[in-house]
Amino acid sequence: MATRSLFDDVPLGGSTFPPIADYAFLSDGEVTALVAPSGNVEWLCLPRMDGPSVFGAILDRDAGGFRIGPADVSVPAARRYLPGTMVVETSWGTRGGWIIVRDVLLIGPWHHESERSHTHRRSPTDYDADHVLLRTVRCVNGEVQLVMDCEPAFDYGRQRGHWEYATDGYHEAICRADGIEVELKITTDMRIGFEGPRAATRTLIKEGETRFCALSWSGHGGPATYAEAYRRLVWTAHHWQHWLDRGEFPDHPWRTHLQRSALTLKGLTYSPTGAMIAAATTSLPETPGGERNWDYRYSWIRDSTFMLWGLYTLGFDWEANDFFYFVADAAEEEADELQIMYGLDGERVLTEQILEHLDGYQGARPVRIGNGAYDQRQHDVWGAMLDSVYLHTKSRDHLDERLWPILKRQVESALEHWRQPDRGIWEVRGEPKHFTSSKIFCWVAADRGARLARLREDHESAARWQKAADEIHADVCANAVDDRGVFVQHYDTKALDASQLLIPLLRFLPADDERVAATVRAIAEELSVDGLVCRYRADQTDDGFSGAEGTFTICSFWMVSALTEIGESSWARALCEKLLSYASPLQLYAEEIDARSGRHLGNFPQAFTHLALINAVMHVIRADEQLRVDVDHEMLSAQRREA
């Protein structure tokens, strides 16, 4: 494929929008925020991750923001996460001095001792979100003119707020908007003034001095002094580090990528229910200025298998268990068939709307909230559910009795529908097809169902489901393989699809099957741009939209895993190194990468990408370890022969 960049048609000249990959990601397990390099919070939705934005400048420069930084400098000297945390540190150098700003969504001890939480469905823990965005400043050299500008725009920029002082002094202020339940409160040791819908401060900070500003939106409240702010920041940082310590990370140069991915997945998990959102944002474009803009702030059942693969691999069984039971809750409550996605509390109706008043990221319209794919027919959902249960059961050697009726219903649904067309793993909005990946996931449902039935000694179900699995397997092998021995996208095409890289990972065929190797190599050669993998060729797939898209990063990481499976370890390692080099400055990933420019595209940060990263990196590390064992064994054997 040609290496033309998706950005070739974008007009020259600077954009007021930062590159997607340059945003920092914050989370407290209930809300998320994105902070631009300028120090502006450009995305924050309340009261939870999928709520209306109060800062939405990432989708329209007039949709609200919250900046702290030097008055006359907008490009920082450096940014990083404090190691092992979700605390972002930004260093600023000016003509007069240097300051360090730290941003964090605070987490504190469990708040619900005298009353029960109305949102938490998982078991209470020792910690809870404080509902506070804290920003601290320390001057380390010279002096800097420091500014704070906070201009909320409630309900995705449709409602401006009204500020008023909360006390007799200048250090507390409240912002309200007509008809909006969320109320914002700023507490700071700087003096606040109001300029219409904007709260602002300006102060000269000198070497050794500190400042803080806390934005809160619940009764928990923010810190009242810098000393308290620092103490609560340290508590939160230690919380993240202690959480990370529970994981099992190899002593390897890629360890930090695994740790940041784990922290990102934890940050994308809505702790009250265990749901994991696909990404923190909506409508960040897959094509610059294009229309492929979706709301990913929901929980896909498909992600469940990959989520459990990643979390079990790294030793985070509690989080895997919470997400598993979120999926189980959703499946148990279904009177009909399992949906492909749900809201954070299991909501079923996710009506899609277009926000006409927002211009979109760099003019990419439409801006959507909700996701119309929620009621699509996608036949992979049953296999994803069954594989999740199978992984969960293997990790505990026990199948919850409550789950068996749910599982039987999912297997029977897969068997009822597997012969029918659907819209596939990529949720195309064209005509339904007999997608190969959907058939394979139906096979997964029957295969894993039969295995679980054997564990329960339900021999009648096991035999019937195994027979069905064999029938699906034979049908796929007969209808989805072209004359080259390569698995194609669906039964009526010769086009390729990166989802076939899952064939060895799902154990549909053994890795040494010639068709598996042929498929992996064909995708690498014909569906890749500079080594990075596209999910399909847009000009060969009726997905309902026009225009090109970038390479899908999850597919590229799938390629790493698939190459390792078929014995191409050197190739896999080289591709993995290349992919890791594309990480954002803070080791985060969006959904896609433009192969020529390296720019990130789509919603950010993307859970699916980080899940695939974990699986790919662990594949390569284990292959390297096995190679060392084999080499040591060969050397020992040679020494014995010589002796």
Side-chain angles (χ1 to χ4, degrees):
M1 295 177 64
T3 58
R4 185 178 185 273
S5 172
L6 293 175
F7 291 87
D8 284 348
D9 295 328
V10 176
L12 295 177
S15 170
T16 58
F17 291 85
I20 290 171
D22 283 358
Y23 284 95
F25 171 63
L26 303 178
S27 175
D28 62 7
E30 294 192 23
V31 302
T32 61
L34 295 183
V35 187
S38 66
N40 194 29
V41 178
E42 298 193 357
W43 187 245
L44 175 67
C45 299
L46 299 177
R48 63 184 203 181
M49 299 171 178
D50 61 348
S53 65
V54 296
F55 303 130
I58 195 171
L59 294 178
D60 190 302
R61 303 319 276 169
D62 293 324
F66 175 24
R67 180 178 186 263
I68 285 184
D72 52 355
V73 177
S74 60
V75 179
R79 299 168 87 209
R80 64 163 186 156
Y81 282 109
L82 297 187
T85 78
M86 293 286 281
V87 181
V88 173
E89 181 181 89
T90 305
S91 299
W92 296 90
T94 71
R95 290 181 179 179
W98 288 76
I99 59 172
I100 294 174
V101 178
R102 288 178 174 174
D103 295 324
V104 61
L105 284 163
L106 290 179
I107 297 174
W110 182 255
H111 294 297
H112 307 280
E113 293 296 348
S114 59
E115 38 72 48
R116 284 192 295 275
S117 167
H118 298 295
T119 58
H120 287 76
R121 292 194 306 183
R122 302 275 76 85
S123 300
T125 61
D126 298 327
Y127 56 88
D128 199 4
D130 273 344
H131 305 153
V132 176
L133 173 59
L134 175 64
R135 319 193 71 178
T136 65
V137 187
R138 179 166 57 94
C139 185
V140 295
N141 178 264
E143 58 184 32
V144 175
Q145 194 69 240
L146 178 69
V147 296
M148 184 276 287
D149 292 306
C150 183
E151 186 174 352
F154 297 88
D155 192 22
Y156 298 107
R158 286 182 284 213
Q159 280 269 44
R160 297 291 162 176
H162 310 286
W163 287 98
E164 61 184 39
Y165 292 110
T167 63
D168 291 337
Y170 290 91
H171 300 291
E172 288 188 15
I174 294 175
C175 186
R176 301 182 179 93
D178 297 338
I180 302 296
E181 292 185 6
V182 172
E183 178 181 290
L184 300 179
K185 181 179 181 181
I186 279 186
T187 306
T188 179
D189 52 5
M190 298 178 281
R191 287 179 290 277
I192 306 169
F194 306 138
E195 298 174 2
R198 183 166 66 102
T201 69
R202 180 184 290 266
T203 186
L204 185 68
I205 183 172
K206 299 181 180 180
E207 182 174 338
E209 294 182 342
T210 58
R211 299 287 188 272
F212 84 96
C213 181
L215 182 77
S216 59
W217 52 89
S218 77
H220 304 324
T225 64
Y226 181 86
E228 183 187 357
Y230 181 76
R231 176 183 60 79
R232 290 171 68 172
L233 182 149
V234 169
W235 197 102
T236 303
H238 287 172
H239 159 79
W240 286 112
Q241 290 169 337
H242 293 158
W243 178 82
L244 199 63
D245 285 346
R246 287 182 27 231
E248 298 172 2
F249 299 95
D251 185 16
H252 190 276
W254 296 344
R255 176 187 179 98
T256 58
H257 288 278
L258 292 171
Q259 291 179 327
R260 182 51 52 191
S261 290
L263 286 163
T264 302
L265 294 176
K266 178 66 171 175
L268 291 170
T269 299
Y270 183 62
S271 58
T273 65
M276 183 187 67
I277 58 175
T281 56
T282 180
S283 300
L284 294 186
E286 297 175 12
T287 305
E291 62 178 345
R292 298 172 184 265
N293 316 320
W294 313 109
D295 193 345
Y296 277 8
R297 297 171 299 158
Y298 304 110
S299 191
W300 268 254
I301 296 298
R302 177 186 304 120
D303 292 3
S304 58
T305 293
F306 302 100
M307 175 76 159
L308 296 179
W309 278 358
L311 292 181
Y312 285 142
T313 296
L314 298 179
F316 292 107
D317 290 4
W318 293 350
E319 284 68 27
N321 187 73
D322 283 349
F323 184 60
F324 173 80
Y325 278 105
F326 168 78
V327 174
D329 288 346
E332 187 175 44
E333 293 172 7
E334 287 292 355
D336 302 316
E337 293 177 1
L338 193 64
Q339 290 189 179
I340 66 167
M341 72 177 86
Y342 293 88
L344 298 185
D345 197 31
E347 295 90 349
R348 301 184 65 221
V349 179
L350 309 174
T351 304
E352 190 171 295
Q353 305 173 47
I354 292 177
L355 302 183
E356 300 283 1
H357 66 285
L358 295 179
D359 288 338
Y361 176 84
Q362 291 186 338
R365 303 182 72 183
V367 173
R368 295 179 171 93
I369 57 173
N371 196 306
Y374 77 90
D375 59 356
Q376 276 191 2
R377 182 174 293 282
Q378 295 176 24
H379 293 169
D380 64 319
V381 64
W382 305 299
M385 172 68 180
L386 265 294
D387 204 32
S388 299
V389 176
Y390 183 65
L391 287 169
H392 182 78
T393 302
K394 283 204 308 181
S395 74
R396 285 160 172 73
D397 196 27
H398 170 71
L399 177 61
D400 192 330
E401 187 66 29
R402 160 201 173 200
L403 293 175
W404 186 239
I406 303 172
L407 300 183
K408 291 181 71 172
R409 191 162 71 243
Q410 304 313 316
V411 178
E412 295 298 340
S413 292
L415 300 189
E416 179 183 353
H417 296 292
W418 76 267
R419 293 182 179 86
Q420 302 167 4
D422 74 330
R423 286 191 165 83
I425 190 172
W426 306 123
E427 300 173 2
V428 300
R429 300 198 179 190
E431 290 300 313
K433 301 288 184 182
H434 290 281
F435 285 102
T436 304
S437 62
S438 297
K439 308 291 186 189
I440 290 173
F441 269 101
C442 287
W443 170 84
V444 169
D447 176 78
R448 304 316 190 255
R451 297 186 192 197
L452 292 167
R454 284 192 285 271
L455 287 176
R456 286 181 51 86
E457 298 184 349
D458 184 344
H459 300 298
E460 187 277 329
S461 294
R464 185 164 58 86
W465 293 345
Q466 187 60 59
K467 181 180 178 181
D470 294 341
E471 182 182 0
I472 299 170
H473 196 283
D475 189 81
V476 171
C477 291
N479 294 290
V481 182
D482 67 12
D483 52 11
R484 300 181 299 167
V486 171
F487 284 90
V488 294
Q489 183 181 64
H490 59 77
Y491 285 7
D492 301 318
T493 187
K494 298 295 184 182
L496 298 176
D497 192 303
S499 61
Q500 307 331 323
L501 295 170
L502 294 173
I503 288 174
L505 306 182
L506 294 170
R507 306 306 182 223
F508 181 78
L509 285 173
D512 59 1
D513 188 291
E514 291 182 0
R515 293 165 294 183
V516 173
T519 301
V520 173
R521 291 191 174 95
I523 292 172
E525 294 169 5
E526 302 170 31
L527 204 57
S528 298
V529 181
D530 291 345
L532 305 187
V533 182
C534 302
R535 54 181 181 169
Y536 50 73
R537 291 285 299 273
D539 59 351
Q540 296 178 352
T541 300
D542 177 21
D543 61 8
F545 292 93
S546 61
E549 60 183 15
T551 62
F552 259 59
T553 316
I554 182 175
C555 299
S556 299
F557 280 120
W558 284 349
M559 177 62 77
V560 172
S561 298
L563 287 169
T564 307
E565 291 277 345
I566 66 171
E568 295 283 0
S569 298
S570 296
W571 187 355
R573 189 182 308 106
L575 178 56
C576 197
E577 289 176 348
K578 183 173 186 174
L579 288 168
L580 295 180
S581 75
Y582 281 109
S584 83
L586 295 173
Q587 294 189 330
L588 301 174
Y589 288 87
E591 184 176 26
E592 302 179 22
I593 293 174
D594 176 51
R596 201 179 82 177
S597 69
R599 293 279 293 269
H600 287 225
L601 296 162
N603 285 307
F604 180 84
Q606 179 84 359
F608 226 173
T609 303
H610 285 277
L611 291 166
L613 180 155
I614 291 170
N615 190 257
V617 166
M618 293 305 297
H619 261 86
V620 174
I621 290 175
R622 287 169 177 168
D624 286 347
E625 290 173 348
Q626 185 60 50
L627 178 62
R628 283 192 290 270
V629 170
D630 292 343
V631 169
D632 289 345
H633 178 74
E634 181 61 32
M635 291 178 61
L636 182 60
S637 298
Q639 290 171 358
R640 287 174 176 171
R641 287 194 298 270
E642 292 174 359

